Amino acid sequence: MAITVQSVINAMILDTRGLLTTSGDDTLTIGWVSRINADIMYNGTYNYLLRGRVNQAYVADQAAYTPTLTNIRKVLAITDVLTGKQLKPMTLGTVSQPVGTVPTAAPTQAELEFKWPKYYILTGVTGTPTITLSPTPPIASSLGMDVIWEKQATALTAVGNTPDVPETGLDLLVAGTNWLAFIYLGRPDEAKIWYDLYQTLKKGEGLV
């Protein structure tokens, strides 16, 4: 059963909830749960759940590709499947991009090594992401490239929202939210206790 923001609030320290909640207003706590959810997903043991992978075939002499990368935060790796090598990111203008032509005969291994894609530029992350390769592939390849990217964590804005952290991470969400709550309340000793527990759980230690 999926947990919700309300599940985290219900599991918090009772006296903390009493001090924070005014007439049923959980606005502060919802924001903290959202912040902790994002921190766990980006920096903790559940990061793998945010990763997406897609394969994009090569078209001969084509530089720009628009694979389906949904809700992208950042590209983690682009690997050329044929060679098994990771492509290197580059900045516009730093590496020349030769204009290739479709060969009349199958290229030799040396030609493939020289002309095969080695670099990429990623643009349009907030819209339609485009990956531009350099050099351009001299021939078509159904193997193409594998793109692995990290998705954005869910922004939580209501008690009924479902965090990205799975049910097994409820204690982790609660520990992190208690940490932020005690900081807000000006109780540093208790905040440190919850911070230490949160960091331990975030590494995957003690998870059920």
Side-chain angles (χ1 to χ4, degrees):
M1 180 179 178
I3 59 177
T4 64
V5 173
Q6 187 65 61
S7 306
V8 179
I9 293 173
N10 292 345
M12 288 178 67
I13 298 294
L14 285 175
D15 65 337
T16 307
R17 287 169 53 196
L19 290 170
L20 292 171
T21 303
T22 303
S23 301
D25 183 6
D26 288 309
T27 303
L28 278 174
T29 312
I30 293 169
W32 292 331
V33 175
S34 185
R35 176 179 165 185
I36 293 298
N37 174 70
D39 181 53
I40 293 168
M41 297 308 296
Y42 294 148
N43 305 305
T45 189
Y46 294 113
N47 178 259
Y48 71 95
L49 294 174
L50 286 184
R51 298 186 181 186
R53 175 184 174 276
V54 67
N55 179 266
Q56 173 68 57
Y58 289 153
V59 177
D61 199 33
Q62 178 174 313
Y65 298 85
T66 54
T68 304
L69 309 179
T70 57
N71 194 28
I72 182 173
R73 179 174 182 246
K74 63 181 178 180
V75 167
L76 299 174
I78 299 179
T79 303
D80 178 79
V81 178
L82 182 64
T83 64
K85 295 181 179 179
Q86 284 195 10
L87 305 186
K88 299 177 181 179
M90 69 178 187
T91 304
L92 285 168
T94 60
V95 179
S96 61
Q97 184 167 310
V99 178
T101 56
V102 180
T104 56
T108 64
Q109 185 61 38
E111 288 174 326
L112 285 174
E113 180 66 18
F114 178 73
K115 294 181 179 179
W116 211 247
K118 297 180 181 66
Y119 304 93
Y120 74 89
I121 298 172
L122 177 68
T123 55
V125 173
T126 57
T128 302
T130 298
I131 295 171
T132 303
L133 303 178
S134 177
T136 56
I139 59 174
S141 171
S142 60
L143 296 176
M145 57 181 163
D146 276 345
V147 183
I148 300 175
W149 77 99
E150 184 178 87
K151 302 175 185 177
Q152 296 276 357
T154 302
L156 307 172
T157 58
V159 293
N161 290 166
T162 300
D164 300 297
V165 176
E167 186 178 6
T168 53
L170 177 59
D171 288 346
L172 177 54
L173 278 169
V174 171
T177 306
N178 278 333
W179 162 50
L180 295 180
F182 280 118
I183 289 177
Y184 177 81
L185 293 171
R187 292 156 65 171
D189 292 340
E190 291 160 293
K192 185 180 186 308
I193 292 172
W194 285 106
Y195 173 80
D196 290 343
L197 177 59
Y198 173 60
Q199 293 302 322
T200 298
L201 292 173
K202 195 166 68 170
K203 295 175 185 176
E205 300 174 21
L207 292 177
V208 294

